[in-house]
Amino acid sequence: MITIKSPREIDTMAAAGRIVARTLALVGRLIGPGKTTEELDRLAEEFIRSHPGARPSFKGLYDFPATLCTSINNEIVHGIPSPRRTLREGDLLSVDVGVYLEGLHADSAATFPVGAVSPPAQRLLQVTQQALAAGVAVARAGNHVGDIGHAVQEVAEEAGFSVVRELVGHGIGASFHEEPQVPNYGKPKRGPRLVPGMTIAIEPMVNAGGPEIRTLEDKWTVVTEDGSLSAHFEHTVAIAEAGAAPRILTNLGD
């Protein structure tokens, strides 16, 4: 069932989203060669919990052990922070984080270059950000979930990349994962209609190679089957009244 949020609930999600955005900004400033993903995770959790009433959404969700998902290079999502995972110059690090505040969640992700990265890696980051922007732009009342997926897919595939099909964005609110599912591919005017008060996480996962994926033995980390690089960007958005642009709830300044 798709839940419609009240203006007050959306404001609360925006407050959680500001903490999410500030956490990503903090992690982005700390990233560099020699840092471990465990260190980034510890500092992110401390920062989130420094806000009264806020706690990490991920820690304990489906028994996930950490605050951040930290996924390196060919890892798409759900990488587990570890003191043994040390960042190196030229890596890509995808960071996914959620915050639970006053009974509601917000969720966002970004992929960061570690030092100087190759031109192909930089282009992957740019295209994935463009795909997210395209998906958000069509998240308007009267459109459909398929319009979002189509917009994301079109940007990624026109650039010669592929979108992950087995993992999707999602509704979000009192539960971290709610209906509807929000794939990163699709056809216009297909799927559930977008209506004011819906809150969804739009999250392109774009691979430099093919779309095929597999899960590692830790039962969490999802990687590209062909070993190619992957990037992941995400915002939580609220569908606004007809004719209005969606409200991005995971912006620093919202």
Side-chain angles (χ1 to χ4, degrees), residues 135-152:
V136 169
V138 298
R140 292 173 175 258
N143 285 345
H144 294 250
V145 167
D147 293 297
I148 298 172
H150 178 75
V152 168

Side-chain angles (χ1 to χ4, degrees), residues 23-109:
T23 304
L24 278 176
L26 171 67
V27 171
R29 292 193 297 272
L30 295 171
I31 286 171
K35 291 283 187 180
T36 68
T37 54
E38 183 277 334
E39 181 180 2
L40 298 175
D41 184 74
R42 175 173 49 81
L43 294 171
E45 180 171 0
E46 290 173 359
F47 179 75
I48 291 169
R49 293 189 185 277
S50 73
H51 297 80
R55 64 172 174 82
S57 293
F58 293 173
K59 196 162 192 178
L61 182 69
Y62 313 124
D63 294 325
F64 189 75
T67 291
L68 303 177
C69 295
T70 51
S71 308
I72 302 172
N73 293 333
N74 70 314
E75 297 171 357
I76 302 166
V77 288
H78 304 161
I80 300 172
S82 168
R84 296 183 296 278
R85 300 301 306 277
T86 301
L87 299 176
R88 298 183 174 87
E89 183 86 13
D91 282 344
L92 296 183
L93 176 67
S94 295
V95 180
D96 195 354
V97 60
V99 165
Y100 184 72
L101 180 69
E102 297 178 21
L104 294 159
H105 295 273
D107 181 23
S108 186

Side-chain angles (χ1 to χ4, degrees), residues 5 15 45 49 74 87 89 99 110 112 125 143 161 164 170 177-178 180 182 184 228 241 251:
K5 313 307 188 296
E45 180 171 0
R49 293 189 185 277
N74 70 314
L87 299 176
E89 183 86 13
V99 165
F112 299 93
L125 296 183
N143 285 345
F161 299 134
V164 174
H170 51 91
H177 291 112
E178 298 183 348
V182 185
N184 292 307
S228 63
E241 294 300 320
N251 270 339

